[in-house]
Amino acid sequence: MPMQLRTRNILAAAILSAGVVLGATAADVNTAIDKGVSRVNSAQASQQKIDSIDNSIRAAEREYRGVVKEVDGLKVYVEQLDKQLAAQDNELAGIEDSIEKVTLVERQITPLMLRMIDSIDQFVKVDVPFLVDERSKRVEGLKALMGRSDVTVAEKYRKVMEAYQAEIDYGRTIESYRGTLDGREVDFLRVGRISLMYQSLDGNVLGVWNSAAKQWEMLEPAMKSKLMAGIRIAREQAAPDLIKVPVAAPQEAK
């Protein structure tokens, strides 16, 4: 049964009962019923409107709380970003300072490396003449390297230091290698930088470099066995042992 009809019946029954007691007329009863129904309908409409407004308010409140929560989260996120930006600014300032220092170091170290290469070049020319081609090519390679823009200063410095280390190692190692001397193929024996000797492949010609005179000198045949022993040791064909080598007499420093 519809709500309005049910309400009307209930009101009608109540008013009829009252009308009987009070002796009211039928017209009065109908009028009272209509007014009651109107008031009930108005009350229902008002309640529905109130319920609708209440639902809207609750929805708006939930949305507001969600927005407030999101804003709080954004505030925390923005604060964290501000901290990161501050840290990045400090790091950027440090990087810029390092770049300036690197640029200054590069301007200072490049002339130094050029002087170091010239020193190696001059040293090779006045040193004991062993592996002359190899050592000269190393120096020329360093000079060419310094002119390249695609190689970093750090790499250039590393190559220069490698060349210096190689020259240092020559002074404390023993080595035998094959080469040519005056158009003749010979076996050289280098003992550090204190002695550089050679013998022809047939073993009949022996020689030693005289550092004082800056020239090769012949060795007596008695040195052949000692020279051969040194060559075998240098080539790791014999166990390390003491050997006698000719050494130029020390000169008085000027």
Short mmCIF file of all heavy atoms in Angstrom, two decimals, residues 198-244:
data_model
loop_
_atom_site.label_atom_id
_atom_site.label_comp_id
_atom_site.label_asym_id
_atom_site.label_seq_id
_atom_site.Cartn_x
_atom_site.Cartn_y
_atom_site.Cartn_z
N TYR A 198 128.33 -7.44 -26.18
CA TYR A 198 127.73 -8.17 -27.30
C TYR A 198 128.71 -9.24 -27.78
O TYR A 198 129.92 -9.18 -27.50
CB TYR A 198 127.40 -7.21 -28.45
CG TYR A 198 128.60 -6.74 -29.24
CD1 TYR A 198 129.09 -7.47 -30.33
CD2 TYR A 198 129.26 -5.57 -28.89
CE1 TYR A 198 130.21 -7.05 -31.04
CE2 TYR A 198 130.36 -5.13 -29.59
CZ TYR A 198 130.83 -5.87 -30.68
OH TYR A 198 131.94 -5.46 -31.38
N GLN A 199 128.15 -10.19 -28.52
CA GLN A 199 128.99 -11.17 -29.22
C GLN A 199 128.31 -11.50 -30.54
O GLN A 199 127.08 -11.50 -30.64
CB GLN A 199 129.21 -12.43 -28.40
CG GLN A 199 128.00 -13.34 -28.29
CD GLN A 199 128.34 -14.71 -27.71
OE1 GLN A 199 129.46 -14.96 -27.28
NE2 GLN A 199 127.36 -15.59 -27.72
N SER A 200 129.13 -11.76 -31.55
CA SER A 200 128.57 -12.13 -32.85
C SER A 200 127.92 -13.50 -32.73
O SER A 200 128.19 -14.26 -31.80
CB SER A 200 129.68 -12.16 -33.90
OG SER A 200 130.69 -13.09 -33.54
N LEU A 201 127.06 -13.81 -33.68
CA LEU A 201 126.34 -15.08 -33.61
C LEU A 201 127.27 -16.28 -33.67
O LEU A 201 126.96 -17.34 -33.12
CB LEU A 201 125.30 -15.15 -34.74
CG LEU A 201 124.20 -14.07 -34.71
CD1 LEU A 201 123.16 -14.36 -35.80
CD2 LEU A 201 123.54 -13.99 -33.35
N ASP A 202 128.42 -16.13 -34.31
CA ASP A 202 129.37 -17.24 -34.34
C ASP A 202 130.26 -17.26 -33.11
O ASP A 202 131.07 -18.19 -32.93
CB ASP A 202 130.23 -17.18 -35.61
CG ASP A 202 130.99 -15.87 -35.73
OD1 ASP A 202 131.07 -15.11 -34.73
OD2 ASP A 202 131.50 -15.59 -36.83
N GLY A 203 130.13 -16.25 -32.25
CA GLY A 203 130.89 -16.21 -31.00
C GLY A 203 132.33 -15.79 -31.14
O GLY A 203 133.08 -15.84 -30.17
N ASN A 204 132.73 -15.34 -32.32
CA ASN A 204 134.14 -14.99 -32.53
C ASN A 204 134.45 -13.53 -32.21
O ASN A 204 135.62 -13.19 -31.98
CB ASN A 204 134.53 -15.29 -33.98
CG ASN A 204 134.50 -16.78 -34.28
OD1 ASN A 204 134.78 -17.60 -33.40
ND2 ASN A 204 134.15 -17.13 -35.51
N VAL A 205 133.45 -12.68 -32.22
CA VAL A 205 133.68 -11.25 -31.98
C VAL A 205 132.94 -10.85 -30.71
O VAL A 205 131.74 -11.06 -30.58
CB VAL A 205 133.20 -10.40 -33.18
CG1 VAL A 205 133.47 -8.91 -32.90
CG2 VAL A 205 133.87 -10.84 -34.46
N LEU A 206 133.68 -10.27 -29.75
CA LEU A 206 133.10 -9.82 -28.48
C LEU A 206 133.38 -8.33 -28.33
O LEU A 206 134.43 -7.82 -28.77
CB LEU A 206 133.72 -10.57 -27.31
CG LEU A 206 133.74 -12.10 -27.38
CD1 LEU A 206 134.46 -12.66 -26.14
CD2 LEU A 206 132.33 -12.65 -27.46
N GLY A 207 132.45 -7.62 -27.70
CA GLY A 207 132.66 -6.19 -27.50
C GLY A 207 131.92 -5.69 -26.27
O GLY A 207 131.03 -6.34 -25.72
N VAL A 208 132.29 -4.49 -25.81
CA VAL A 208 131.67 -3.87 -24.65
C VAL A 208 131.61 -2.37 -24.90
O VAL A 208 132.46 -1.79 -25.58
CB VAL A 208 132.48 -4.16 -23.36
CG1 VAL A 208 133.88 -3.59 -23.44
CG2 VAL A 208 131.74 -3.63 -22.14
N TRP A 209 130.57 -1.74 -24.35
CA TRP A 209 130.42 -0.30 -24.51
C TRP A 209 131.22 0.43 -23.43
O TRP A 209 131.10 0.15 -22.25
CB TRP A 209 128.94 0.11 -24.40
CG TRP A 209 128.70 1.59 -24.46
CD1 TRP A 209 128.41 2.41 -23.44
CD2 TRP A 209 128.75 2.41 -25.63
NE1 TRP A 209 128.27 3.69 -23.87
CE2 TRP A 209 128.47 3.73 -25.23
CE3 TRP A 209 129.02 2.15 -26.99
CZ2 TRP A 209 128.44 4.79 -26.12
CZ3 TRP A 209 128.98 3.21 -27.88
CH2 TRP A 209 128.70 4.51 -27.44
N ASN A 210 132.06 1.37 -23.89
CA ASN A 210 132.84 2.19 -22.98
C ASN A 210 132.09 3.50 -22.77
O ASN A 210 132.07 4.37 -23.66
CB ASN A 210 134.24 2.45 -23.56
CG ASN A 210 135.14 3.14 -22.56
OD1 ASN A 210 134.71 3.97 -21.76
ND2 ASN A 210 136.43 2.80 -22.61
N SER A 211 131.48 3.64 -21.62
CA SER A 211 130.67 4.83 -21.35
C SER A 211 131.51 6.10 -21.29
O SER A 211 131.03 7.19 -21.64
CB SER A 211 129.91 4.66 -20.03
OG SER A 211 129.02 3.57 -20.09
N ALA A 212 132.74 5.97 -20.84
CA ALA A 212 133.59 7.15 -20.76
C ALA A 212 133.99 7.64 -22.14
O ALA A 212 133.95 8.85 -22.44
CB ALA A 212 134.83 6.84 -19.92
N ALA A 213 134.37 6.71 -23.00
CA ALA A 213 134.79 7.07 -24.35
C ALA A 213 133.63 7.17 -25.33
O ALA A 213 133.81 7.64 -26.46
CB ALA A 213 135.81 6.05 -24.87
N LYS A 214 132.45 6.72 -24.90
CA LYS A 214 131.25 6.74 -25.75
C LYS A 214 131.49 5.96 -27.05
O LYS A 214 131.13 6.41 -28.15
CB LYS A 214 130.82 8.18 -26.09
CG LYS A 214 130.52 9.05 -24.89
CD LYS A 214 129.31 8.53 -24.12
CE LYS A 214 129.00 9.42 -22.93
NZ LYS A 214 127.88 8.90 -22.12
N GLN A 215 132.05 4.75 -26.92
CA GLN A 215 132.30 3.94 -28.10
C GLN A 215 132.41 2.47 -27.71
O GLN A 215 132.59 2.13 -26.53
CB GLN A 215 133.59 4.39 -28.79
CG GLN A 215 134.84 4.18 -27.96
CD GLN A 215 136.10 4.68 -28.65
OE1 GLN A 215 136.04 5.36 -29.67
NE2 GLN A 215 137.25 4.33 -28.11
N TRP A 216 132.30 1.62 -28.71
CA TRP A 216 132.45 0.18 -28.50
C TRP A 216 133.93 -0.19 -28.51
O TRP A 216 134.72 0.36 -29.28
CB TRP A 216 131.72 -0.60 -29.60
CG TRP A 216 130.22 -0.46 -29.54
CD1 TRP A 216 129.44 0.33 -30.30
CD2 TRP A 216 129.35 -1.17 -28.66
NE1 TRP A 216 128.12 0.19 -29.96
CE2 TRP A 216 128.02 -0.74 -28.95
CE3 TRP A 216 129.54 -2.12 -27.66
CZ2 TRP A 216 126.92 -1.22 -28.28
CZ3 TRP A 216 128.41 -2.61 -26.99
CH2 TRP A 216 127.13 -2.17 -27.30
N GLU A 217 134.26 -1.14 -27.64
CA GLU A 217 135.63 -1.66 -27.57
C GLU A 217 135.59 -3.18 -27.64
O GLU A 217 134.61 -3.81 -27.21
CB GLU A 217 136.32 -1.21 -26.28
CG GLU A 217 136.53 0.29 -26.19
CD GLU A 217 137.22 0.70 -24.90
OE1 GLU A 217 137.35 -0.18 -24.01
OE2 GLU A 217 137.62 1.87 -24.78
N MET A 218 136.64 -3.77 -28.17
CA MET A 218 136.71 -5.22 -28.28
C MET A 218 137.01 -5.84 -26.93
O MET A 218 137.71 -5.25 -26.09
CB MET A 218 137.80 -5.61 -29.28
CG MET A 218 137.58 -5.05 -30.68
SD MET A 218 135.99 -5.57 -31.41
CE MET A 218 136.31 -7.34 -31.56
N LEU A 219 136.48 -7.02 -26.70
CA LEU A 219 136.75 -7.79 -25.49
C LEU A 219 137.69 -8.94 -25.82
O LEU A 219 137.64 -9.51 -26.92
CB LEU A 219 135.43 -8.34 -24.89
CG LEU A 219 134.62 -7.43 -23.97
CD1 LEU A 219 133.34 -8.15 -23.56
CD2 LEU A 219 135.41 -7.02 -22.75
N GLU A 220 138.47 -9.30 -24.87
CA GLU A 220 139.38 -10.43 -25.07
C GLU A 220 138.59 -11.73 -25.08
O GLU A 220 137.54 -11.84 -24.43
CB GLU A 220 140.43 -10.45 -23.96
CG GLU A 220 139.84 -10.51 -22.56
CD GLU A 220 140.91 -10.39 -21.48
OE1 GLU A 220 142.00 -9.85 -21.76
OE2 GLU A 220 140.63 -10.86 -20.37
N PRO A 221 139.07 -12.73 -25.81
CA PRO A 221 138.35 -14.01 -25.94
C PRO A 221 138.08 -14.69 -24.60
O PRO A 221 137.13 -15.48 -24.49
CB PRO A 221 139.29 -14.85 -26.81
CG PRO A 221 140.06 -13.85 -27.60
CD PRO A 221 140.27 -12.70 -26.69
N ALA A 222 138.86 -14.40 -23.56
CA ALA A 222 138.67 -15.04 -22.26
C ALA A 222 137.31 -14.68 -21.64
O ALA A 222 136.81 -15.39 -20.75
CB ALA A 222 139.81 -14.65 -21.31
N MET A 223 136.70 -13.58 -22.11
CA MET A 223 135.40 -13.15 -21.56
C MET A 223 134.22 -13.88 -22.20
O MET A 223 133.09 -13.72 -21.78
CB MET A 223 135.23 -11.64 -21.78
CG MET A 223 136.14 -10.78 -20.91
SD MET A 223 135.70 -10.92 -19.15
CE MET A 223 134.01 -10.36 -19.15
N LYS A 224 134.54 -14.73 -23.23
CA LYS A 224 133.45 -15.37 -23.95
C LYS A 224 132.58 -16.23 -23.05
O LYS A 224 131.35 -16.18 -23.11
CB LYS A 224 134.03 -16.20 -25.10
CG LYS A 224 132.96 -16.90 -25.93
CD LYS A 224 133.58 -17.65 -27.11
CE LYS A 224 132.51 -18.35 -27.92
NZ LYS A 224 133.07 -19.09 -29.08
N SER A 225 133.21 -17.05 -22.18
CA SER A 225 132.43 -17.96 -21.32
C SER A 225 131.56 -17.16 -20.34
O SER A 225 130.42 -17.54 -20.07
CB SER A 225 133.37 -18.89 -20.56
OG SER A 225 134.27 -18.16 -19.74
N LYS A 226 132.12 -16.07 -19.83
CA LYS A 226 131.35 -15.25 -18.89
C LYS A 226 130.18 -14.56 -19.60
O LYS A 226 129.06 -14.47 -19.07
CB LYS A 226 132.26 -14.21 -18.24
CG LYS A 226 133.40 -14.82 -17.43
CD LYS A 226 134.28 -13.75 -16.85
CE LYS A 226 135.40 -14.37 -16.00
NZ LYS A 226 136.27 -15.28 -16.77
N LEU A 227 130.45 -14.11 -20.82
CA LEU A 227 129.38 -13.47 -21.59
C LEU A 227 128.28 -14.46 -21.94
O LEU A 227 127.09 -14.16 -21.83
CB LEU A 227 129.98 -12.85 -22.86
CG LEU A 227 129.01 -12.12 -23.79
CD1 LEU A 227 128.26 -11.03 -23.06
CD2 LEU A 227 129.78 -11.54 -24.98
N MET A 228 128.67 -15.65 -22.33
CA MET A 228 127.69 -16.70 -22.65
C MET A 228 126.87 -17.07 -21.44
O MET A 228 125.64 -17.28 -21.52
CB MET A 228 128.41 -17.92 -23.21
CG MET A 228 128.95 -17.73 -24.62
SD MET A 228 127.64 -17.48 -25.83
CE MET A 228 126.76 -19.04 -25.68
N ALA A 229 127.53 -17.17 -20.28
CA ALA A 229 126.80 -17.50 -19.05
C ALA A 229 125.77 -16.42 -18.73
O ALA A 229 124.63 -16.70 -18.33
CB ALA A 229 127.79 -17.66 -17.89
N GLY A 230 126.15 -15.15 -18.89
CA GLY A 230 125.22 -14.05 -18.64
C GLY A 230 124.03 -14.07 -19.59
O GLY A 230 122.89 -13.81 -19.18
N ILE A 231 124.28 -14.40 -20.86
CA ILE A 231 123.19 -14.47 -21.84
C ILE A 231 122.22 -15.58 -21.47
O ILE A 231 120.99 -15.41 -21.53
CB ILE A 231 123.75 -14.68 -23.25
CG1 ILE A 231 124.49 -13.41 -23.72
CG2 ILE A 231 122.65 -15.04 -24.23
CD1 ILE A 231 125.19 -13.56 -25.05
N ARG A 232 122.72 -16.75 -21.06
CA ARG A 232 121.83 -17.86 -20.67
C ARG A 232 121.00 -17.48 -19.44
O ARG A 232 119.82 -17.82 -19.36
CB ARG A 232 122.66 -19.11 -20.41
CG ARG A 232 123.22 -19.75 -21.67
CD ARG A 232 123.69 -21.17 -21.39
NE ARG A 232 124.80 -21.16 -20.43
CZ ARG A 232 126.07 -21.10 -20.76
NH1 ARG A 232 126.41 -21.01 -22.04
NH2 ARG A 232 127.03 -21.09 -19.85
N ILE A 233 121.62 -16.80 -18.47
CA ILE A 233 120.87 -16.38 -17.27
C ILE A 233 119.79 -15.36 -17.65
O ILE A 233 118.64 -15.44 -17.19
CB ILE A 233 121.83 -15.78 -16.22
CG1 ILE A 233 122.75 -16.87 -15.67
CG2 ILE A 233 121.05 -15.12 -15.09
CD1 ILE A 233 123.83 -16.34 -14.75
N ALA A 234 120.13 -14.40 -18.51
CA ALA A 234 119.16 -13.38 -18.92
C ALA A 234 117.99 -14.00 -19.67
O ALA A 234 116.85 -13.54 -19.55
CB ALA A 234 119.84 -12.33 -19.79
N ARG A 235 118.24 -15.04 -20.42
CA ARG A 235 117.18 -15.71 -21.18
C ARG A 235 116.49 -16.79 -20.36
O ARG A 235 115.68 -17.54 -20.89
CB ARG A 235 117.77 -16.31 -22.46
CG ARG A 235 118.25 -15.26 -23.45
CD ARG A 235 118.92 -15.90 -24.65
NE ARG A 235 119.31 -14.90 -25.65
CZ ARG A 235 120.00 -15.16 -26.76
NH1 ARG A 235 120.38 -16.43 -27.01
NH2 ARG A 235 120.31 -14.21 -27.61
N GLU A 236 116.84 -16.88 -19.09
CA GLU A 236 116.28 -17.86 -18.18
C GLU A 236 116.55 -19.28 -18.65
O GLU A 236 115.75 -20.20 -18.45
CB GLU A 236 114.77 -17.64 -17.99
CG GLU A 236 114.44 -16.29 -17.37
CD GLU A 236 112.95 -16.11 -17.14
OE1 GLU A 236 112.17 -16.96 -17.62
OE2 GLU A 236 112.57 -15.13 -16.46
N GLN A 237 117.69 -19.47 -19.29
CA GLN A 237 118.13 -20.80 -19.70
C GLN A 237 119.08 -21.41 -18.67
O GLN A 237 119.47 -22.57 -18.81
CB GLN A 237 118.82 -20.72 -21.06
CG GLN A 237 117.90 -20.26 -22.18
CD GLN A 237 118.64 -20.02 -23.48
OE1 GLN A 237 119.88 -19.99 -23.50
NE2 GLN A 237 117.90 -19.84 -24.58
N ALA A 238 119.43 -20.62 -17.66
CA ALA A 238 120.30 -21.10 -16.59
C ALA A 238 119.86 -20.41 -15.30
O ALA A 238 119.24 -19.34 -15.32
CB ALA A 238 121.76 -20.80 -16.90
N ALA A 239 120.19 -21.05 -14.17
CA ALA A 239 119.82 -20.49 -12.88
C ALA A 239 120.63 -19.22 -12.61
O ALA A 239 121.78 -19.10 -13.04
CB ALA A 239 120.06 -21.50 -11.78
N PRO A 240 120.06 -18.25 -11.91
CA PRO A 240 120.80 -17.03 -11.57
C PRO A 240 122.10 -17.36 -10.83
O PRO A 240 122.13 -18.24 -9.97
CB PRO A 240 119.82 -16.26 -10.67
CG PRO A 240 118.47 -16.77 -11.06
CD PRO A 240 118.67 -18.22 -11.40
N ASP A 241 123.14 -16.66 -11.17
CA ASP A 241 124.44 -16.92 -10.57
C ASP A 241 125.28 -15.66 -10.70
O ASP A 241 124.95 -14.74 -11.47
CB ASP A 241 125.12 -18.10 -11.26
CG ASP A 241 126.28 -18.66 -10.45
OD1 ASP A 241 126.52 -18.13 -9.33
OD2 ASP A 241 126.93 -19.59 -10.93
N LEU A 242 126.36 -15.60 -9.97
CA LEU A 242 127.29 -14.47 -10.07
C LEU A 242 128.10 -14.60 -11.35
O LEU A 242 128.59 -15.67 -11.69
CB LEU A 242 128.23 -14.43 -8.87
CG LEU A 242 127.57 -14.12 -7.51
CD1 LEU A 242 128.62 -14.23 -6.40
CD2 LEU A 242 126.94 -12.74 -7.52
N ILE A 243 128.20 -13.48 -12.05
CA ILE A 243 129.02 -13.46 -13.26
C ILE A 243 129.92 -12.22 -13.22
O ILE A 243 129.57 -11.20 -12.61
CB ILE A 243 128.15 -13.42 -14.54
CG1 ILE A 243 127.20 -12.20 -14.51
CG2 ILE A 243 127.35 -14.70 -14.70
CD1 ILE A 243 126.43 -12.03 -15.81
N LYS A 244 131.05 -12.33 -13.86
CA LYS A 244 131.97 -11.20 -13.95
C LYS A 244 131.71 -10.46 -15.26
O LYS A 244 131.65 -11.07 -16.33
CB LYS A 244 133.41 -11.68 -13.89
CG LYS A 244 133.82 -12.24 -12.54
CD LYS A 244 135.29 -12.65 -12.54
CE LYS A 244 135.72 -13.20 -11.19
NZ LYS A 244 137.16 -13.59 -11.18
#
